[in-house]
Amino acid sequence: MKKILVPTDFYPVADNAIKYAIEIAAGFQSELYLYHVYSFNKFNYDWDFPKDKQPYTKKVERRMKRTRFKFMKKIKEKGLSIQTLVEEDGFFSLFKTKVIEHGVDMIVMGSKGASGLEKIVFGSIAATALEMAKVPVLVVPPEHTFRQLGNIVLAIDHRKVPPNVLLPLQKLAFKFGAKVTILNVYTHPNKNADRISDLHLDGIVTAYREVPMSKSINETINKFIEKEGCDLLCMLRREKGFFERVFQKSITKTQVFSNNVPLLVLPEV
């Protein structure tokens, strides 16, 4: 976990994600990349200035400097380094090209978790990031403060997990001394407890739980973590074929809109 990217729009939800990312980075002595991308439109482009001297660009650069200053004391206390970048680009380039360009190991970002239109717009950004990113994405709910990772819940289905997919989770659990509860939500009882040894979580204290599905898988997961306690929920983003993408709703993507604890999504790549 050498490099962690944190997208920011300079608002409180993003600031909260930065705080969380600092704590995770401190565990691994990771380098932080604080990123803001923007695009020009008829509302923010001033035709009285050349493109390289646009007032809007200067404005966002000043906001990035203020954000950096806001967190520098904590970053120095943790012995971390940070790079701040402001670039004209599409927002979703962060989850593809920038990740590759900077060798990013994890993305930490906030999600509004609000209601109505705000939820649709900002929740969709986080959900789309989960779909696009080829590295783990950790989504932090608004106002959720970091606490020691004591119990991590890993929600899985009946399908086999490819080797190395769970490596980021294993590293997190080991670094913070967390127990991992493997949760399987079923419609018919399964006998999968022996699968723990196949999940590549060597050196981690694990437990296996099966619970029947109530109204939906997402609601069942939420009820479980509310009852049992959970500091971090981990899910897998499964690779789907064409017909699965068309006809099957993503359980992982849906979870973004309802999660009350940080959600770590590991891509199946």
Side-chain angles (χ1 to χ4, degrees), residues 122-133:
F122 292 98
S124 294
I125 290 174
T128 304
L130 301 183
E131 255 184 7
M132 296 176 67

Side-chain angles (χ1 to χ4, degrees), residues 41-74:
N41 56 50
K42 62 181 179 180
F43 301 108
N44 61 27
Y45 193 90
D46 192 332
W47 291 98
D48 293 330
F49 294 85
K51 191 172 182 179
D52 61 344
K53 294 183 180 179
Q54 282 292 306
Y56 182 78
T57 301
K58 302 301 180 184
K59 176 183 175 181
V60 293
E61 288 175 347
R62 287 194 298 270
R63 295 185 76 178
M64 179 62 88
K65 286 181 180 178
R66 288 197 294 268
T67 300
R68 178 189 175 94
F69 179 78
K70 191 188 307 183
F71 294 102
M72 273 313 297
K73 182 179 179 182
K74 177 64 71 175

Side-chain angles (χ1 to χ4, degrees), residues 24 28 106 149 168-176 232 264:
I24 296 295
F28 296 94
M106 176 184 284
L149 301 181
L169 171 63
Q170 183 185 23
K171 289 180 178 179
L172 270 174
F174 184 80
K175 182 63 68 174
F176 291 96
L232 177 70
L264 173 66

Side-chain angles (χ1 to χ4, degrees), residues 5 18 41 50 53 62 79 88-89 91 98 118 120 128 141 160 177 180 187 191 232 236 253:
L5 184 148
I18 295 169
N41 56 50
K53 294 183 180 179
R62 287 194 298 270
E88 181 193 358
D89 208 335
F91 183 79
K98 304 306 178 188
E118 191 177 41
I120 293 170
T128 304
K160 189 175 180 63
V180 175
T187 52
K191 301 297 181 182
L232 177 70
L236 307 185
K253 193 171 179 179

